[in-house]
Amino acid sequence: MRHILSVLLENESGALARVVGLFAQRGYNIDSLTVAATEDPTISRLTLVTRGDDQVIEQITKQLHKLIEVVKLADLSESAHIERELMMVKVKTTAEQREEVKRCADIFRGQIIDITASTYTIQVVGTSEKLEAFIQALNGTQILETVRSGVSGISRGERTLSL
Amino acid sequence: MTSQNTQPELLSGGAMLIRALADEGVEYVYGYPGGAVLHIYDAMFQQHQVKHVLVRHEQAATHMADAYARASGKAGVVLVTSGPGATNAVTGIATAYMDSIPMVVICGQVMSHLIGDDAFQETDMLGISRPIVKHNMSVRRPEDIPYLVKKAFYIAQSGRPGPVVLDIPKDMTIPSQKFPYEYPKDIKLRSYNPNAKGHPGQIKKALATLLAAKRPVLYAGGGVILGRASDELTVLARKLNLPVTNTLMGLGAYPASDPQFIGMLGMHGSYEANQVMHNADVIFAVGARFDDRVTNATKKFCPDATIIHIDIDPASISKTINAHIPIVGLVKPVLQEMLHQLEKNKGELDQDALSQWWQQIQQWREVHGGRYDTSPSHLKPQAVIEAVHRHTKGDAYVTSDVGQHQMFAAQYYKFDKPNRWINSGGLGTMGFGLPAAMGVKLHYPEAEVVCVTGEGSIQMNIQELSTCKQYGLAVKIINLNNGYLGMVKQWQDMNYDSRYSSSYMDSLPDFVKLAEAYGHVGIRVTKAEELEPALERAFALKDKLVFLDIHVDPTEHVYPMQIPGGAMNDMFLSKTERT
């Protein structure tokens, strides 16, 4: 099962290393990881996508809680939530492909954010599935580079993870 | 005048560190000087509250601090320099971490501006120690030192205890740079709140389950010792008429001479303890963590048992074995609440079922009963431990190294008090025993302190005989010398057709001469009849370290022994018998 864990941690040097180290040390998976300061600069929010059965996820959340710098955490996948990921794809475009690539980006509500004579750079935002579908849709176009932000997520409704 | 007196004193970073340790009540620091900690050592020299013990290798400093913590319940303190000083301390930090021992390790570090440059004696100690500490921190501003010391002790000693590393770059301790010193009274961290009392509803449920049990067992671990809850545990066990087994880390939590005690459990546990566990309908686990050396194959673990599990660390609950009634809390308040509820509870024990259960346990007791071959031809290691128990009236602090001798000590030295059995259970660190004995002896000079070791383990920190001389640490070393790395040899006998790959030492030193070379007393025992007079002489020499080099039967194995891959009650009982 895929889970999205949202973690608030003290914005201190070494805190991120502790989280990442925990996953490496105990053999847990990290599919993606994003981290940045929140509106309170002393707190960072880390969003982590992992996989495991219920017992593994329970251990992961308990072990994360044990880290002194972890203030709060939630498994977003336990309730209604929104997830987004940002991707930038640089593709090689021949003159005859350009129109098709533009149309494809439009369908996925992507934006072309940079162009050269032979390339497009397209930005797409959505769930990880949507980003993968977009890559599939580019079939036939030469992808030069993809950059993905990793998943960010937030609970729906009034539920929050905050101090 | 008055207003001047309330002005905080101005101290350098190094002096603040030492003052903070004094304010924390630290009596001894164990360590070894070096470049990065010279300012700190100079500050140490200029005061008399905190005393320094100079070891011969930093690993020993950590084990001394660790054993002091195990005996006293207070965090031990280590001071080492950067680079090799810090890395030499790593084994001791990991040892403390695995057994949840409170310890504060202060490591020097190169000057801040050199960090990351591969400077002389630079190592990333925060990175190296991260997986083996409860927490680690580095000092960025000298004025933060008092707060960080307080925080280090608070984290090390609260909740599930553990080691904390404080990394101090040399420029944080410069003598000429002084700052107002004030030691914080207490500390609160928004991300860490360790004092759980246990959910009263869960405690009620646990009590009801125990009252209704027909085949209960109390399985108590190191958490009872760390949580100072032996008294509560003992009272509760007696009121509920529970058979009690202790883990390797929990020995002494319940008195071994009590009729309700059924021995240690697990890989080298007693036959009856492992049978009781396997056949129990209710397992009451208190401060124990269902370690792989206890459970044997988890799939076959105790098929009929409802499991009640008290632990301060939620991550220890349902980690390897699912708990039906989890209680997250410190052992002592949870047991107190249980006793309180029991007072008010009108529930009755199922006396008939319990009496049948005790009859069954009695039968199991007779199957193996800790027997070993007592034929006089060979001096048996088990007999040595029993003799040591006799000579010390069962009241010594016993430290051990790791291997067969450790298991013999655990099985045959019957511990009636907590904090008396000091061994590296989780990490299994050879070289632990001697420095551990030193740490205890330093703080309890009047107490009898015995180090049970083997000729393999003792050589891993034998240089500390020199430290013992310097500080007059009159410990008694019981070297169960069988000329082999005994536990390795036992496994090679059992699983590798006795191919003794590197488990034999054919160039052992003359331990008696070695002890004498360090200024101590050495006694060699090679025959059974020499044992009694040797022990008599050794324990009569109150002010001397005595190294007893006791040559024991090299063919002896530790039994019972759980059969790998089996259930708790699948055991070898001797070289020729199995369940």
Side-chain angles (χ1 to χ4, degrees):
Chain A
M1 253 296 267
R2 175 176 177 272
H3 290 254
I4 305 172
L5 304 181
S6 189
V7 183
L8 295 178
L9 75 166
E10 297 287 352
N11 190 3
E12 285 171 3
S13 81
L16 176 62
R18 244 181 269 281
V19 173
V20 175
L22 171 70
F23 276 73
Q25 184 190 336
R26 296 192 182 264
Y28 306 140
N29 298 307
I30 298 179
D31 280 5
S32 80
L33 176 72
T34 72
V35 59
T38 61
E39 77 282 4
D40 172 356
T42 67
I43 292 283
S44 299
R45 182 185 300 266
L46 182 151
T47 312
L48 194 149
V49 178
T50 184
R51 276 163 211 283
D53 61 26
D54 288 351
Q55 207 208 341
V56 169
I57 299 299
E58 187 183 324
Q59 263 300 309
I60 291 174
T61 56
K62 284 172 166 180
Q63 293 291 351
L64 281 170
H65 260 302
K66 265 175 83 169
L67 299 177
I68 304 291
E69 285 136 338
V70 168
V71 188
K72 270 189 178 176
L73 74 95
D75 183 349
L76 293 179
S77 349
E78 277 181 350
S79 56
H81 64 278
I82 299 156
E83 62 171 281
R84 289 288 181 272
E85 188 176 355
L86 181 145
M87 176 170 71
M88 291 179 277
V89 192
K90 193 175 283 181
V91 292
K92 199 161 185 72
T93 45
T94 57
E96 52 275 21
Q97 281 176 320
R98 287 177 90 91
E99 201 45 42
E100 174 60 21
V101 170
K102 171 81 172 70
R103 198 161 34 242
C104 186
D106 287 343
I107 290 166
F108 281 83
R109 299 191 192 187
Q111 295 163 294
I112 293 166
I113 52 174
D114 189 38
I115 57 169
T116 68
S118 61
T119 67
Y120 272 166
T121 300
I122 309 150
Q123 169 189 297
V124 188
V125 174
T127 64
S128 305
E129 275 179 339
K130 175 178 158 179
L131 305 194
E132 268 139 41
F134 180 66
I135 290 172
Q136 292 293 317
L138 287 175
N139 189 19
T141 314
Q142 191 190 349
I143 296 176
L144 299 172
E145 195 177 3
T146 64
V147 179
R148 293 173 68 155
S149 66
V151 173
S152 288
I154 196 163
S155 293
R156 278 196 185 277
E158 289 180 1
R159 184 193 290 264
T160 60
L161 180 70
S162 55
L163 292 193
Chain B
M1 276 312 278
T2 335
S3 63
Q4 271 183 341
N5 282 344
T6 55
Q7 288 291 315
E9 196 178 343
L10 293 178
L11 295 175
S12 72
M16 283 200 287
L17 173 67
I18 304 299
R19 180 67 67 83
L21 294 177
D23 284 346
E24 195 56 48
V26 173
E27 200 183 344
Y28 288 103
V29 170
Y30 315 91
Y32 207 102
V37 286
L38 281 175
H39 297 325
I40 299 173
Y41 270 85
D42 193 51
M44 177 91 75
F45 191 83
Q46 296 179 45
Q47 55 83 54
H48 299 287
Q49 272 180 287
V50 179
K51 295 185 267 296
H52 182 262
V53 176
L54 176 68
V55 292
R56 300 297 178 266
H57 184 288
E58 289 86 349
Q59 184 189 346
T62 57
H63 294 331
M64 281 187 84
D66 171 317
Y68 160 65
R70 289 178 203 240
S72 71
K74 285 187 266 176
V77 183
V78 176
L79 173 58
V80 293
T81 194
S82 63
T87 56
N88 276 350
V90 164
T91 300
I93 297 169
T95 303
Y97 178 71
M98 289 294 276
D99 290 343
S100 310
I101 304 304
M103 187 154 94
V104 173
V105 182
I106 297 152
C107 297
Q109 183 55 275
V110 300
M111 307 255 239
S112 306
H113 72 275
L114 292 174
I115 290 176
D117 286 359
D118 301 320
F120 176 65
Q121 291 195 329
E122 181 189 354
T123 194
D124 173 16
M125 188 53 182
L126 292 178
I128 286 173
S129 65
R130 199 173 287 127
I132 52 165
V133 292
K134 184 167 175 189
H135 196 56
N136 60 19
M137 301 174 283
S138 99
V139 178
R140 311 260 156 154
R141 305 183 315 161
E143 54 267 46
D144 293 342
I145 286 176
Y147 171 78
L148 291 173
V149 170
K150 184 77 194 172
K151 186 173 167 183
F153 276 90
Y154 171 58
I155 291 172
Q157 296 181 136
S158 57
R160 179 177 183 175
V164 175
V165 165
L166 187 58
D167 200 50
I168 309 185
K170 188 172 185 181
D171 51 322
M172 299 294 115
T173 56
I174 295 169
S176 59
Q177 295 178 7
K178 297 189 177 183
F179 305 87
Y181 172 82
E182 215 162 349
Y183 196 58
K185 280 199 177 55
D186 49 15
I187 204 164
K188 226 176 138 62
L189 301 173
R190 61 180 169 184
S191 59
Y192 176 67
N193 182 20
N195 292 320
K197 281 189 171 155
H199 191 278
Q202 289 292 92
I203 294 174
K204 192 175 169 191
K205 211 161 127 190
L207 195 57
T209 306
L210 283 167
L211 283 167
K214 295 183 188 309
R215 301 186 311 281
V217 60
L218 200 169
Y219 149 47
V224 179
I225 310 248
L226 291 164
R228 309 239 139 205
S230 285
D231 291 347
E232 289 82 357
L233 183 92
T234 305
V235 172
L236 187 68
R238 286 182 181 149
K239 285 194 187 225
L240 295 174
N241 193 13
L242 300 168
V244 185
T245 177
N246 285 160
T247 67
L248 179 67
M249 292 307 300
L251 292 176
Y254 190 83
S257 58
D258 188 280
Q260 278 173 240
F261 188 64
I262 55 171
M264 182 170 79
L265 81 171
M267 179 173 276
H268 292 296
S270 75
Y271 176 82
E272 52 271 31
N274 287 341
Q275 283 290 8
V276 166
M277 285 290 289
H278 185 79
N279 292 286
D281 68 342
V282 176
I283 291 175
F284 181 29
V286 184
R289 62 184 178 91
F290 296 88
D291 170 83
D292 58 292
R293 283 295 193 268
V294 160
T295 58
N296 212 359
T298 50
K299 283 201 171 67
K300 298 177 185 171
F301 181 77
C302 306
D304 304 328
T306 298
I307 291 170
I308 304 164
H309 190 178
I310 306 174
D311 206 295
I312 183 60
D313 180 6
S316 281
I317 294 177
S318 299
K319 181 168 72 175
T320 56
I321 299 292
N322 189 47
H324 304 94
I325 307 175
I327 303 171
V328 176
L330 292 164
V331 168
K332 197 179 182 87
V334 171
L335 291 182
Q336 281 167 343
E337 171 64 18
M338 233 172 194
L339 284 166
H340 178 67
Q341 288 192 15
L342 187 60
E343 288 288 307
K344 297 187 302 184
N345 196 300
K346 297 281 176 279
E348 290 283 315
L349 291 170
D350 187 342
Q351 298 293 359
D352 286 350
L354 284 175
S355 125
Q356 270 183 36
W357 183 226
W358 275 109
Q359 276 173 27
Q360 171 66 70
I361 292 169
Q362 198 47 44
Q363 284 169 20
W364 283 328
R365 274 178 165 155
E366 284 155 18
V367 173
H368 184 263
R371 71 183 134 85
Y372 59 92
D373 175 17
T374 50
S375 58
S377 57
H378 273 109
L379 184 46
K380 291 289 182 177
Q382 299 94 326
V384 175
I385 303 295
E386 288 182 327
V388 170
H389 183 268
R390 248 190 345 269
H391 280 265
T392 56
K393 301 181 177 64
D395 202 32
Y397 287 87
V398 179
T399 72
S400 94
D401 270 300
V402 171
Q404 284 186 319
H405 66 268
Q406 176 189 25
M407 291 301 120
F408 290 134
Q411 289 175 333
Y412 293 93
Y413 197 100
K414 307 291 182 191
F415 292 92
D416 277 343
K417 291 180 188 167
N419 308 89
R420 293 302 173 100
W421 166 238
I422 290 167
N423 85 130
S424 166
L427 196 68
T429 307
M430 291 171 71
F432 178 80
L434 175 57
M438 293 157 58
V440 178
K441 188 69 183 174
L442 190 68
H443 287 269
Y444 301 100
E446 300 306 318
E448 200 66 79
V449 181
V450 176
C451 166
V452 176
T453 184
E455 80 293 337
S457 285
I458 192 66
Q459 291 190 85
M460 284 209 184
N461 268 321
I462 193 124
Q463 75 287 344
E464 297 307 319
L465 287 174
S466 170
T467 310
C468 290
K469 184 67 188 166
Q470 184 173 350
Y471 297 94
L473 301 173
V475 302
K476 306 293 184 249
I477 298 170
I478 306 293
N479 186 37
L480 297 180
N481 186 345
N482 62 0
Y484 287 92
L485 303 178
M487 192 58 95
V488 172
K489 173 180 176 288
Q490 175 167 346
W491 281 65
Q492 288 170 337
D493 281 332
M494 295 173 85
N495 301 316
Y496 301 92
D497 293 327
S498 300
R499 288 187 297 278
Y500 300 140
S501 182
S502 293
S503 57
Y504 177 57
M505 290 199 185
D506 60 356
S507 54
L508 289 173
D510 179 332
F511 286 109
V512 170
K513 278 190 186 158
L514 190 63
E516 286 167 0
Y518 278 108
H520 305 301
V521 176
I523 303 174
R524 185 174 295 109
V525 174
T526 54
K527 299 191 194 76
E529 62 268 25
E530 293 168 357
L531 180 64
E532 284 299 319
L535 288 174
E536 202 134 307
R537 195 182 142 213
F539 287 109
L541 291 167
K542 290 280 172 225
D543 301 331
K544 292 279 185 190
L545 183 151
V546 183
F547 192 116
L548 285 136
D549 182 34
I550 305 175
H551 292 227
V552 295
D553 183 359
T555 66
E556 191 55 283
H557 286 179
V558 182
Y559 293 108
M561 179 174 175
Q562 281 176 334
I563 299 168
M568 283 230 47
N569 64 344
D570 291 327
M571 287 167 274
F572 298 110
L573 300 180
S574 71
K575 284 183 185 169
T576 53
E577 302 157 278
R578 52 173 291 170
T579 50

